[in-house]
Amino acid sequence: MTPRVNRRTKIVATIGPGSESEDMIARLISAGVNVFRLNFSHGSAAQHAQVAQRIRKQAAVAGRYVGILADLQGPKIRIGSFRDGSVRLENGDRFRLDLGLDDAAGDAHSVGLDYPALTTSVFRGDTLLLDDGRLRLRVDEVQANTVDCTVLVGGTLGSRKGINRLGGGLAAPALTTKDIADIDSLAEVRPDFVAVSFVSSAEDIFQTRDLLRAHQLEPAIIAKIERAEVVADDATLNGIIDAAFGIMVARGDLGVEVGDAELIGLQKDLISRARKMDRVVITATQMMESMINSPMPTRAEVFDVANAVLDGTDAVMLSAETAVGSFPVEVVTAMADAALGAERHPVARTSRYRLDKQFASAQETIAMSAIYAANHYKTVRGIACLTESGTTPLLMSRLSSGLPIFALSNRSETLQRLCLCRGVVPLFFDASVFDQDTVEASAIEFLCDEGQLHKGDAVLLTKGAIMGRPGSTNIMKILPVL
């Protein structure tokens, strides 16, 4: 028998009106979703708590660990509203951004916005980007309460659309009053991950962690990278990555601020940087956008997903495709197929990371040695980690391999967190009920019962000499499956 093929790249799917029913959640789990994203830009805390309950119920029915990510809205800077809902701006038109204009009084000549720092943040000659860069304005004159512009790229502009400055620089605190209120409500949701939007420094991560701990919550924190000034400063970027559990390459706002041409290299750098720093990374935004209304992806979208996989991303994320799209199950299936196709390529199974690195602990040494051994001993079919905190399988997942990493733990919070780690298969196994002499054989028997191993295989097993103590992994064995 051939062992089960485990997709290594994880899929994050956003919940919305098109996917929030129990039946659809069950179908999405079956199609391959590993983590569900709750977008706190929409909906109430009570609605998100209800959806989280459905996710946990359906994950239990499916017998899988499925993570929940709460994505905070953050300080998206938006223009005000138009009297008629939208206006049409043509190239060459004059258009004013007016801090003193009533919120709903916008017209084809001007619109208000609630961002007092605008007039001190932009300068003559700057390019302002509206509606995710679909429209562009050149700043001609800045006064105390107004910014007069010329339309460079026109189009239809709707109410409450976002505004950015090319090159970044329009910044507000990462945690808004709404975000803090949403964090206060997370005790009902109890997410496994919390994503912080528009992070500008490591302090944003520390503040979020402190606010969560005040409610006895310890979710893993994901820093969304979407500010041009952050990626332009190595020290700031590295500080953010180090402070967080992982990062999200939020290609929407980041692409608007730096330009799509720059974004290509930035995505690769961010993925590589996160992996080298032992952090997880999610690649997000418009990965299969056409499937909002189409049952099939474009070839370019398949290549986009595949390239992120080949770069080493832990997860790829779907937004509107599953939140409001007409084909949520089909898009998850298409994304899973694209990821599996890319993972068959040798580039996705080998790694040169850390060949010249000194290890800092026995745990890291065992983790890295296990991956090297597994990649060079052809009868090994997987790596079994008896783990408490999940650190050993996380470290293993930073190196590329074609083999599954079975994280065996009796701690549900550890297994939930590992849902996001590339190549890790979280499985409940309570090593404490076995004697030291029998736990290895019992673990192998369990993996065989799960269909992960078969007679004649070999498995590489890691554990601590003292079971039940986090961070104590110091033993590696290659064991036959008899």
Side-chain angles (χ1 to χ4, degrees), residues 84-102:
D84 299 324
S86 65
V87 297
R88 179 74 189 178
L89 299 180
E90 302 294 343
N91 293 6
D93 285 354
R94 299 277 292 170
F95 192 70
R96 170 174 285 182
L97 302 169
D98 191 340
L99 297 175
L101 195 66
D102 288 345

Side-chain angles (χ1 to χ4, degrees), residues 251 267 283-290 297-298 300-302 304-306 308 315-319 321 335:
R251 304 188 302 181
Q267 174 176 308
T283 304
T285 315
Q286 295 180 327
M287 299 215 79
M288 289 195 159
E289 184 101 335
S290 74
T298 67
E301 288 168 338
V302 172
D304 184 30
V305 172
V316 283
M317 192 174 100
L318 296 163
S319 298
E321 298 96 330
M335 183 169 262

Side-chain angles (χ1 to χ4, degrees), residues 21 30 110 132 137 151 194 196 207 221-222 245 263 283-284 306 315 323 329 345 357 375 388 404 412 422 450 459 462:
S21 70
S30 178
S110 62
D132 289 338
L137 311 178
V151 178
V194 170
V196 185
Q207 182 188 1
I221 297 177
I222 305 296
F245 177 77
L263 186 61
T283 304
V329 175
H345 194 283
K357 179 183 173 182
N375 281 346
E388 294 291 320
S412 61
R422 180 176 174 127
E450 289 286 311
V459 64
T462 67

Side-chain angles (χ1 to χ4, degrees), residues 43-346:
S44 67
Q47 288 172 320
H48 290 309
Q50 190 176 46
V51 170
Q53 194 173 26
R54 290 177 201 156
I55 292 169
R56 291 200 173 90
K57 176 182 175 182
Q58 294 305 320
V61 169
R64 296 188 192 176
Y65 284 93
V66 178
I68 295 175
L69 182 148
D71 193 341
L72 301 176
Q73 177 176 297
K76 182 86 169 181
I77 300 167
R78 300 178 186 276
I79 60 172
S81 299
F82 295 102
R83 291 193 192 103
D84 299 324
S86 65
V87 297
R88 179 74 189 178
L89 299 180
E90 302 294 343
N91 293 6
D93 285 354
R94 299 277 292 170
F95 192 70
R96 170 174 285 182
L97 302 169
D98 191 340
L99 297 175
L101 195 66
D102 288 345
D103 180 68
D107 58 24
H109 304 290
S110 62
V111 72
L113 75 165
D114 184 18
Y115 182 61
L118 179 72
T119 54
T120 58
S121 302
V122 301
F123 304 92
R124 184 175 181 178
D126 282 351
T127 299
L128 299 180
L129 309 156
L130 299 170
D131 192 9
D132 289 338
R134 291 180 177 86
L135 290 86
R136 294 189 170 213
L137 311 178
R138 183 188 67 229
V139 175
D140 296 327
E141 186 176 358
V142 181
Q143 298 187 19
N145 288 303
T146 60
V147 177
D148 289 317
C149 305
T150 298
V151 178
L152 298 178
V153 178
T156 300
L157 179 60
S159 298
R160 305 293 302 158
K161 293 300 183 181
I163 179 169
N164 302 75
R165 174 180 171 271
L166 186 63
L170 297 189
L175 291 179
T176 65
T177 302
K178 179 186 185 309
D179 294 331
I180 293 170
D182 285 338
I183 288 173
D184 290 340
S185 74
L186 288 181
E188 298 298 316
V189 178
R190 303 200 72 80
D192 305 295
F193 310 92
V194 170
V196 185
S197 299
F198 296 97
V199 173
S200 60
S201 71
E203 287 302 317
D204 296 329
I205 306 302
F206 299 142
Q207 182 188 1
T208 304
R209 187 171 288 124
D210 289 343
L211 290 167
L212 288 163
R213 283 176 175 166
H215 296 281
Q216 288 75 54
L217 295 173
E218 293 277 354
I221 297 177
I222 305 296
K224 294 171 69 173
I225 307 300
E226 44 200 337
R227 284 180 162 165
E229 54 267 36
V230 165
V231 296
D233 186 308
D234 273 355
T236 299
L237 179 58
N238 288 340
I240 290 169
I241 296 172
D242 188 59
F245 177 77
I247 63 171
M248 182 188 296
V249 186
R251 304 188 302 181
D253 282 286
L254 183 59
V256 167
E257 292 205 353
V258 303
D260 289 340
E262 285 291 317
L263 186 61
I264 300 165
L266 277 174
Q267 174 176 308
K268 293 180 179 295
D269 175 67
L270 287 167
I271 292 172
S272 173
R273 191 181 297 240
R275 289 176 64 81
K276 287 177 181 177
M277 293 178 68
D278 298 329
R279 300 298 184 263
V280 303
V281 54
I282 305 167
T283 304
T285 315
Q286 295 180 327
M287 299 215 79
M288 289 195 159
E289 184 101 335
S290 74
M291 288 192 72
I292 294 173
N293 299 306
S294 169
M296 293 285 289
T298 67
R299 187 167 289 117
E301 288 168 338
V302 172
F303 272 57
D304 184 30
V305 172
N307 274 312
V309 172
L310 292 174
D311 288 340
T313 192
D314 285 272
V316 283
M317 192 174 100
L318 296 163
S319 298
E321 298 96 330
T322 52
V324 296
S326 301
F327 304 96
V329 175
E330 289 85 350
V331 71
V332 171
T333 302
M335 183 169 262
D337 288 345
L340 277 168
E343 288 169 6
R344 295 188 192 102
H345 194 283

